[in-house]
Amino acid sequence: MEKIKMTTPIVEMDGDEMTRILWKMIKEDLLEPYIDLNTEYYDLGLEHRNETNDQVTVDSANATKKYKVAVKCATITPNAARMEEYDLKEMWKSPNGTIRAILDGTVFRAPIVVKGIEPCVKSWKKPITIARHAYGDVYKGSEMKIPGAGKVELVYTAEDGTQTRELVHTGAGIVQGMHNVNESIESFARSCFNYALDTKQDLWFATKDTISKKYDHTFKDIFQEIYDAEYDEKFKAAGIEYFYTLIDDAVARVMKSEGGFIWACKNYDGDVMSDMVSSAFGSLAMMTSVLVSPEGYYEYEAAHGTVQRHYYKHLKGEETSTNSVATIFAWSGALRKRGELDGNKELMEFADRLEKATIDTIEAGEMTKDLALTGCCPIVHTLENPTVLNSEGFIKAIAKRL
């Protein structure tokens, strides 16, 4: 069988721990036998990021600007324990935060729905898509430990040298400064409104503007101004709704909803809520994630971490059963988009086949342990002999159906 050719490379960002092991398996068993894979490779594993002083992360983001499409493996964001474990030069920032700051845009995350695996929230009938703002806030924040007496202030120095000051607190403690910019919030809003129109879904947006009367309120105001000026008539014509509420009210409403809408969230809220939604739909490894930039850049990734616990078992030679579905769908999403941009129908059709083979495998009762142990997973109880596969076995079961 002749392999599918690619005219333009995809930016490939390798990662850490168990997801790095899965990454290699996916390429060897599901991609390379069928595609003459053309990627520009960047090793974003923590050791290499440390060796390059994190320059490799910046380089991979700039390469994405050049080639338009990237696929990223899960990566470690180091904490104090990781500093010691990997003997790091410094506590490097989140690679995702760095990449998103360079590319801007919005992260859209939606659950991968499989027949027989019903949401734990019984009222949910349709997928809920999380639209996560991909720039700023705590992910580009600055922090300090305040050792003793004194005062902490926010200071704005204008171009003419005049200053505006705001007292934060006095005395020992901790302080965090974070920011966002109007241009990024505007692109976030437009990305959400356009995605809602493209998918014909209602759009919800939520912040805590009653408490954060300047920071969060600015998000609310920008969304409303853009909606009123540019999208009100389009939404009415499409028969869809834009709805704003407080973040705590949104959470309560989501739990009683039927789903089938887009929930736009600020950066941190989207980080948390996407994990809640994916877990309730079956597993953290059952959610797609794509960064869509207003400049036309696309970065696909799995919406979960590096599965550290399974990696330590793997290093000991013990068997693991790690769900690779979200990582597979990151590859299929990137390949489909590459094919779309290049007019490569074969590549797009292969991406569809890869996703179907993955879903068919699970619906046939072959799955990883996380799905088999899900309390809201009737497929395990309706099949006489459901099969729980190890990490490699699950990928090879998919390969048989390709």
Side-chain angles (χ1 to χ4, degrees):
M1 182 182 71
E2 187 176 348
K3 292 185 180 182
I4 299 167
K5 303 295 182 184
M6 294 175 61
T7 56
T8 313
I10 287 173
V11 177
E12 178 186 350
M13 306 174 186
D14 209 344
D16 287 301
E17 298 190 317
M18 197 63 207
T19 45
R20 189 181 181 98
I21 304 299
L22 297 176
W23 193 263
K24 185 173 183 289
M25 292 180 188
I26 290 166
K27 288 177 66 177
E28 290 179 351
D29 292 335
L30 302 181
L31 304 179
E32 290 172 345
Y34 308 97
I35 304 171
D36 190 3
L37 203 58
N38 183 4
T39 70
E40 183 159 310
Y41 179 85
Y42 293 86
D43 183 359
L44 266 57
L46 184 52
E47 291 173 333
H48 193 239
R49 277 183 277 146
N50 191 57
E51 290 170 6
T52 65
N53 297 323
D54 208 29
Q55 183 61 41
V56 65
T57 307
V58 175
D59 292 344
S60 70
N62 287 327
T64 305
K65 285 186 170 183
K66 178 179 179 181
Y67 294 112
K68 307 296 186 186
V69 181
V71 59
K72 180 181 174 295
C73 184
T75 47
I76 295 169
T77 298
N79 56 16
R82 298 294 205 168
M83 282 278 291
E84 183 177 345
E85 180 182 355
Y86 284 86
D87 191 24
L88 300 180
K89 300 173 187 176
E90 62 179 84
M91 200 180 296
W92 305 110
K93 292 189 175 183
S94 160
N96 287 338
T98 299
I99 292 165
R100 290 166 189 164
I102 293 170
L103 300 181
D104 200 4
T106 302
V107 177
F108 292 96
R109 291 180 170 174
I112 299 163
V113 178
V114 177
K115 290 176 184 176
I117 300 180
E118 305 300 329
C120 293
V121 181
K122 298 304 180 185
S123 64
W124 290 357
K125 308 299 181 188
K126 304 171 186 175
I128 297 169
T129 299
I130 299 291
R132 175 186 172 188
H133 188 207
Y135 177 80
D137 299 349
V138 67
Y139 299 86
K140 291 291 288 182
S142 299
E143 301 178 331
M144 293 175 65
K145 288 185 177 181
I146 310 303
K151 63 181 179 180
V152 176
E153 295 179 305
L154 281 175
V155 181
Y156 164 63
T157 305
E159 287 184 344
D160 63 6
T162 58
Q163 292 187 335
T164 304
R165 294 174 177 270
E166 186 86 28
L167 179 66
V168 179
H169 75 93
T170 59
I174 50 178
V175 64
Q176 180 185 79
M178 62 183 193
H179 79 283
N180 226 292
V181 293
N182 290 354
E183 184 179 4
S184 181
I185 301 170
E186 289 164 4
S187 71
F188 172 42
R190 290 190 177 94
S191 293
C192 293
F193 291 134
N194 288 330
Y195 197 83
L197 287 169
D198 289 344
T199 58
K200 299 288 191 295
Q201 295 183 91
D202 290 344
L203 174 65
W204 295 18
F205 181 45
T207 71
K208 194 68 173 178
D209 65 278
T210 52
I211 301 299
S212 178
K213 298 181 185 296
K214 294 178 182 176
Y215 200 102
D216 279 23
H217 214 298
T218 297
F219 276 82
K220 176 186 176 183
D221 291 343
I222 288 175
F223 261 72
Q224 193 63 53
E225 289 164 6
I226 290 176
Y227 176 77
D228 290 341
E230 303 175 26
Y231 291 95
D232 182 49
E233 292 183 4
K234 294 176 183 177
F235 268 54
K236 288 175 180 174
I240 58 176
E241 179 187 13
Y242 168 58
F243 172 69
Y244 176 82
T245 189
L246 293 171
I247 185 66
D248 43 349
D249 180 54
V251 172
R253 288 173 180 265
V254 165
M255 299 306 291
K256 295 182 179 179
S257 75
E258 291 188 353
F261 55 86
I262 301 161
W263 182 8
C265 297
K266 289 171 57 202
N267 209 343
Y268 180 79
D269 295 338
D271 192 357
V272 174
M273 293 307 168
S274 62
D275 278 10
M276 184 272 288
V277 169
S278 62
S279 179
F281 270 97
S283 169
L284 291 176
M286 296 291 287
M287 180 168 261
T288 63
S289 180
V290 56
L291 170 70
V292 181
S293 165
E295 285 80 18
Y297 314 134
Y298 299 85
E299 183 227 351
Y300 295 81
E301 63 174 345
H304 59 71
T306 58
V307 203
Q308 179 184 8
R309 183 171 56 86
H310 286 201
Y311 181 61
Y312 290 161
K313 288 180 67 177
H314 172 80
L315 291 179
K316 295 176 184 176
E318 298 175 13
E319 185 176 84
T320 64
S321 182
T322 313
N323 190 330
S324 52
V325 171
T327 306
I328 293 168
F329 271 63
W331 271 105
S332 64
L335 291 168
R336 184 183 295 106
K337 179 56 68 174
R338 180 79 280 158
E340 179 187 318
L341 294 178
D342 292 353
N344 189 337
K345 187 179 178 183
E346 279 189 294
L347 197 59
M348 296 169 68
E349 290 175 346
F350 174 81
D352 293 341
R353 289 202 308 275
L354 177 57
E355 291 181 1
K356 185 178 186 303
T358 304
I359 297 300
D360 287 350
T361 300
I362 299 171
E363 291 181 351
E366 297 180 278
M367 64 193 72
T368 48
K369 192 175 182 180
D370 61 315
L371 295 179
L373 294 179
T374 301
C376 52
C377 185
I379 193 168
V380 175
H381 304 292
T382 57
L383 294 173
E384 291 185 8
N385 296 300
T387 304
V388 177
L389 302 173
N390 63 27
S391 306
E392 185 177 10
F394 180 64
I395 290 171
K396 288 191 178 299
I398 296 169
K400 290 178 183 177
R401 291 176 167 85
L402 263 177

